[in-house]
Every structure is written in structure tokens, then in C-alpha cells.
Amino acid sequence: MRAEGERVATTRLATPGHQTHLGVCAPRWEGKGMKLELRGITKRFGPLIANDSIDLTVEEGQIHALLGENGAGKSTLMNVLYGLHQPDEGQILLDGQPTTFKGPGDAVAAGIGMVHQHFMLIPVFTVAESIALGYEPTGPAGIISLDKARQTVRDVSARFGFDLDPDALIEDLPVGAQQRVEIVKALSREAKVLILDEPTAVLTPQETDELMVIMRQLADSGTSIVFITHKLREIRAVADAITVIRRGRIVGEASPSDSEASLASQMVGRPVQLRVDKAPATLVGDGLAFDDVTLIGSGGVPLLDHLSFEVRRGETVAIAGVQGNGQSELAEVVLGLRTPTSGAVRLGDQDITHLNPRQSLDAGIGFVPEDRMTDGIIASFSIADNLVLDQFTSSQFSAFGSRKLAAIARNAEEKQEEYDIRLTSINDPISSLSGGNQQKVVVAREMSKELQLLVVNQPTRGVDVGSIEFIHRRIVDTRDGGCAVLLISSELDEICALADRIAVMYRGRIVGIVPPDTPRDVLGLMMAGVPLDEALASSSGSAAADRAGREEK
């Protein structure tokens, strides 16, 4: 018997030779898990009731999904559990014992770990320093041992199938690698209850599959997992139980066997169209054109390698590829954040190769960035100001060096209504919004201008299905209005639904340009660098083999 409140130590073991079907070395944990109960949790922020008498039970070894649209209160509830917020009413129980957390340190000590939707990393720290922060390993005389921290990163990374350099700076890592650091940091704390808040929002499909395997292994070994995601396919694949939250209240339970359409309608409280309806593209003129563009990075490595393609007005061209193959650099060249080493970029009849970002925006380019927190918003600015961030100098919102506050407020109120941005006040800092509502602000700002070209990089990352439906509709409407649309996404379903043509990138080159009905296995092979003709031949061979196998049976 253990005393009340005493933690049972757990040991994570790497089982030699144990491999998942994806080749990931899956962990084995020993020790008792923990049952989590939330009873009557209520959290208010002024007049806003973010959580309203929420009851939730997560059994030991269960993957319990929280399903809800942006602003439903899911992240707030988990921040209460993690000690970041204090509940106004209600109780937290661990193994039946009432518990109070004064801060995250108390939660971690009790066996709760959390991977936040927005990264909690220090840009100038290394990976090892980030994972050790707050739990620094020490050597003789209590001096922090960076060697021990590096070894911890290597051990945990190998154990969970993540490829991380302990000495890499966080600010130098791509977004997907930064998310892996967050996941490894949480898993290294021996958590008995693991909260995953949109953990796959920036992961590739392969990385997501690997995380699903790890989650199942952890649950099978007794770890309780609270899984927040907007991706219905992931919920159906891995969840044991589903609780639906809408506007701060629990409105029901769902089953992982429910269809995606059923789950989507339960989430938003209305039927949701998961399929994108669009007419064939009507081309109306020249749009964006890349002519033999090369961009050399540090160390002489080509980030873009003799890139040539075009996006005509009235069509959507999607860039497909595993993250880190030049898609982000391509978008930065278009916006003027990077200047090509050679080649030319044109927009209509204008050469935009050497324009800076301000000039690019003035030329009629709208830009939805990959990382809204870094490049799309200013967290401390109000929602109203973020809706006009790149338009402060326009006559609509300023005069004689002063802002037109009434016009800015009126614009914010109109966009709030049009884009269904869930907020308390347009004057609140945008950091008070959920991630999905922050994305709506960026999309509203960029799609409300007169555009010749719209560049959308991961437009629905961390966004619920209702908002995805709306954003997809706006992208199609923008295309149908005669604008050229360049879509960059890690979601193949999104690419195939929205694109009129798909350009597949690998190591800075375009492997091929294909129609949107190209089989997923062909796209997958091309994303791995296989030339188009070889990918088609391989796919045809596999299909023939499958048919032959079925005929034999």
C-alpha cells in the first residue's frame, strides 16, 4: 500500500529488438498507471465561461479524445489540469484522491505531462537544454552536466524514434522538429497522464503514424492519454473514448467507430460538408512564374534547385512534399523574404525577384504563413490591430500618420462576423484566442484584400472541421475570382481536394506536376524522390500484383 498522495515510480525500458510496423523502436513502460477524474470544473475569464461544469473521466491506459471546435474550451480545460489555470469551481482527482495544483511543477510531480499546442521552447536554447530545463541533471558539486543532458536526448530520441541533434538550436529547427522536441520533453518526465494538445498539427503523415504507434504502446503499458486534435481520422484510428465539448460544455460522448461526417456534425452542432465542391478552373491570364530559380543556403546547399513552374490566374497549384524539402523557402522567395541566387520570379508582367516583403504585398500578394505565431500575428497586439497588420499605411485605416481607430474597429467587427471568429472583445490581445481562431484572423486579413496571388502555407493547421470547410470555400472563391492560388500543405487530402494541379517537391526540385486525381501511392513515391514515370510504373505493378492475388483467391 502507498500513502495518500505518494507517487509510484515508473521505469521506461527499451526492449531490445522490439520494432513497430513502422520501424519505430517502441517503448515499454513498467509500473502502475493512474485514473484521472475532473468533476464540475468551471473556469471563467471575466464574463466568458470557458469551461462550464465539466465532468471527465480518463481510465488508466485509455486514450481519451476531446473533440470540439476552435474556442470550445478544450485547451483551457487541459491548462486547468496542468496547473496553468486555477479552476473557479470543481475538483481534480488522481486515483480517487482530490488534488490541487498551484502550478505546472505540482502537476509534473504528480505524474502529469503536457505537450502544448503552441511551443513552450526558448529559441536560443539547444535541444538538450530545452528538454532538461527545470529538471537539470547535475554532476559533482551540483554543477549542471550538459553531457548528461545530451545523453538523455539521445536515449529518449532513440527510444521513441525521433531524430534530434542534442546540440541543435531550437531557432534553427523546422517547425516539425520543434514539435518533436516538445513531445520528447513530455515523454522524458515519466508521465502517468499525458496531455497531447494538437500534437500532430505540424507533423508529416509519416511522423503522425509513428506518434500513433507510440501513443498506443504507452496506453497499453498503463499511461492515460488525453488527446486533443481536430483530425477526425486520427481520432478514429487511435482513441478508445471520445468526449465532445461545445462552447464550454460537454454535449455528449462519441464512438471511434462513428463516421467522420457524424463526428464532424457532433463537434460543430450542424452538418459539415467534408468534400470540397469546385468547378473546373477557368484560366484568365498569367499569374506567378518561376524561371530556373535557384536558392543556395548556408554551406552551399541548394534549398531550391533550378525551379521552373507557373500558377495561372484562376487556378490553384498545390505544392506537395515532406516538410523540409524547400516548400517554406519557396514561399519566402515569393514574398521577398529571400532573394534567389539565380533565376527570375514574375507576377503577371512584373518582375518581383528582388522585391522586399512590403513591395510584394503592395504588388497584390496575400500570404498565410506556415507558423502563424512567428510570422502571422503579433501576440501582444489586439485582435483588431492584427486584422490590419499589413494595411496600417492604407488610406482606409490611416490619415496624416494617425490610425483611424473607428475604421479599424469597424473592420474587425465585420471580419469577426464574416469569418466566425470566437472572441470576447476585438480589443483583447490576439494571444487570448485559441489557435484556430488566431488562424481565422490571419486568413480573414489576407483574403480580404485585392489580390493577384494568394500564397497559403498550411492554411488549416490546428483548425477544426467547421473552420476547415469555411477556409477551403474561401480559397476556392478566391481562385474563382480570377486570383492565382499557390497552396502548400502537408495534408494530402487537402491538396487533392483543392488543387487543379499538384507539383511534388523533393530536395528543392520539382519531381513532377500531376493532376489532383493522381493515386496517393504515386504521390507518396514522388514525395520520396521517385521520378513520375517510375512512380507510375511502380504503382501499376503493385495494382497488377494485387489483382493477380485476388484472382488466385
Side-chain angles (χ1 to χ4, degrees):
M1 293 289 292
R2 72 180 188 277
E4 180 177 330
E6 182 182 353
R7 297 180 64 202
V8 176
T10 61
T11 303
R12 193 187 303 124
L13 301 176
T15 305
H18 176 69
Q19 297 283 323
T20 70
H21 72 284
L22 292 170
V24 181
C25 211
R28 296 289 192 185
W29 288 41
E30 290 181 349
K32 187 178 182 300
M34 187 160 58
K35 179 180 179 179
L36 166 68
E37 296 175 86
L38 303 179
R39 295 181 181 174
I41 296 294
T42 296
K43 181 62 184 176
R44 303 180 184 89
F45 297 96
L48 174 67
I49 303 177
N51 296 143
D52 192 356
S53 301
I54 288 183
D55 295 323
L56 178 70
T57 299
V58 183
E59 300 290 345
E60 175 185 338
Q62 182 183 67
I63 300 177
H64 198 119
L66 288 186
L67 186 61
E69 58 187 330
N70 297 126
K74 308 180 300 297
S75 295
T76 298
L77 183 64
M78 292 302 100
N79 286 335
V80 167
L81 174 58
Y82 196 56
L84 288 168
H85 296 319
Q86 300 302 311
D88 296 310
E89 300 171 19
Q91 282 185 316
I92 299 172
L93 292 88
L94 301 178
D95 281 342
Q97 300 298 322
T99 306
T100 301
F101 300 141
K102 295 181 180 179
D106 291 346
V108 171
I112 295 175
M114 184 170 182
V115 175
H116 298 267
Q117 180 179 0
H118 300 305
F119 307 146
M120 301 292 179
L121 300 171
I122 299 175
V124 296
F125 273 25
T126 66
V127 172
E129 290 168 342
S130 299
I131 290 177
L133 185 62
Y135 301 85
E136 292 84 357
T138 58
I143 298 174
I144 295 176
S145 173
L146 287 180
D147 287 338
K148 287 186 178 180
R150 293 186 186 98
Q151 191 58 46
T152 297
V153 174
R154 295 187 188 100
D155 291 345
V156 175
S157 295
R159 201 167 290 163
F160 292 96
F162 292 113
D163 181 18
L164 291 172
D165 177 3
D167 295 315
L169 288 176
I170 295 298
E171 63 185 358
D172 293 336
L173 295 177
V175 175
Q178 291 184 28
Q179 182 67 287
R180 291 196 291 274
V181 174
E182 286 280 25
I183 294 170
V184 170
K185 183 170 67 173
L187 294 177
S188 69
R189 303 285 194 257
E190 306 288 356
K192 295 181 184 180
V193 176
L194 184 61
I195 305 164
L196 301 177
D197 189 0
E198 298 286 354
T200 66
V202 294
L203 300 184
T204 65
Q206 295 91 337
E207 291 166 342
T208 296
D209 288 342
E210 293 169 3
L211 178 61
M212 299 296 106
V213 172
I214 291 170
M215 288 171 62
R216 178 48 57 195
Q217 286 289 331
L218 290 171
D220 289 345
S221 300
T223 303
S224 305
I225 298 176
V226 183
F227 182 38
I228 300 175
T229 182
H230 294 115
K231 299 181 180 179
L232 302 179
R233 181 180 298 178
E234 294 174 7
I235 286 180
R236 298 183 69 221
V238 78
D240 300 311
I242 302 172
T243 295
V244 183
I245 300 179
R246 193 184 311 141
R247 295 184 181 265
R249 289 177 172 268
I250 289 181
V251 296
E253 307 291 329
S255 169
S257 62
D258 291 347
S259 68
E260 290 189 20
S262 174
L263 291 174
S265 64
Q266 291 180 69
M267 180 195 301
V268 301
R270 61 174 176 81
V272 176
Q273 174 73 316
L274 297 178
R275 179 172 54 86
V276 177
D277 289 327
K278 69 179 194 299
T282 301
L283 306 180
V284 294
D286 294 335
L288 175 70
F290 268 54
D291 183 10
D292 199 30
V293 171
T294 295
L295 176 66
I296 303 298
S298 59
V301 177
L303 302 176
L304 300 177
D305 194 356
H306 298 283
L307 221 57
S308 294
F309 71 97
E310 62 177 342
V311 186
R312 290 163 292 185
R313 292 176 59 194
E315 74 166 343
T316 297
V317 172
I319 305 295
V322 176
Q323 185 172 353
N325 279 277
Q327 303 97 312
S328 297
E329 290 79 7
L330 168 61
E332 290 169 357
V333 165
V334 173
L335 192 65
L337 290 167
R338 292 177 184 257
T339 301
T341 307
S342 62
V345 183
R346 301 189 66 83
L347 182 60
D349 58 2
Q350 181 180 6
D351 188 333
I352 64 171
T353 310
H354 299 286
L355 297 188
N356 60 38
R358 176 73 269 166
Q359 293 168 329
S360 298
L361 293 171
D362 291 342
I365 297 176
F367 183 64
V368 178
E370 172 186 11
D371 185 352
R372 59 178 170 266
M373 295 299 293
T374 301
D375 301 317
I377 63 174
I378 298 178
S380 60
F381 278 24
S382 71
I383 298 164
D385 283 343
N386 271 279
L387 280 164
V388 294
L389 267 187
D390 55 358
Q391 302 169 65
F392 273 125
T393 59
S394 73
S395 59
Q396 181 180 358
F397 299 116
S398 68
F400 307 108
S402 298
R403 294 187 297 157
K404 295 180 179 179
L405 298 181
I408 292 172
R410 186 166 54 253
N411 174 73
E413 291 164 354
E414 292 171 355
K415 297 300 182 291
Q416 174 196 0
E417 178 70 23
E418 183 180 357
Y419 286 81
D420 189 26
I421 302 169
R422 304 289 174 84
L423 51 80
T424 303
S425 167
I426 61 172
N427 297 314
D428 287 343
I430 196 170
S431 58
S432 67
L433 297 183
S434 67
N437 280 294
Q438 291 175 2
Q439 185 73 347
K440 286 182 182 179
V441 169
V442 176
V443 169
R445 182 184 68 224
E446 297 304 315
M447 292 191 184
S448 300
K449 301 180 291 187
E450 290 291 330
L451 299 176
Q452 291 193 56
L453 169 68
L454 174 64
V455 181
V456 280
N457 195 350
Q458 315 298 340
T460 58
R461 176 171 285 170
V463 173
D464 65 61
V465 291
S467 300
I468 288 173
E469 177 191 34
F470 180 82
I471 292 172
H472 283 177
R473 184 71 257 162
R474 295 305 297 245
I475 291 174
V476 173
D477 289 345
T478 300
R479 179 204 73 159
D480 292 346
C483 181
V485 178
L486 178 64
L487 167 68
I488 301 171
S489 176
S490 58
E491 301 289 340
L492 276 182
D493 288 343
E494 181 169 67
I495 284 175
C496 294
L498 292 173
D500 298 301
R501 295 186 294 144
I502 301 173
V504 182
M505 286 190 70
Y506 178 73
R507 294 187 177 179
R509 284 180 173 269
I510 289 183
V511 179
I513 299 178
V514 296
D517 59 355
T518 301
R520 291 175 66 96
D521 59 339
V522 173
L523 291 173
L525 289 170
M526 294 174 68
M527 289 166 66
V530 178
L532 174 58
D533 54 350
E534 294 182 23
L536 290 170
S538 177
S539 176
S540 300
S542 297
D546 288 342
R547 286 195 299 272
R550 287 194 296 270
E551 290 171 0
E552 287 181 5
K553 294 179 181 179

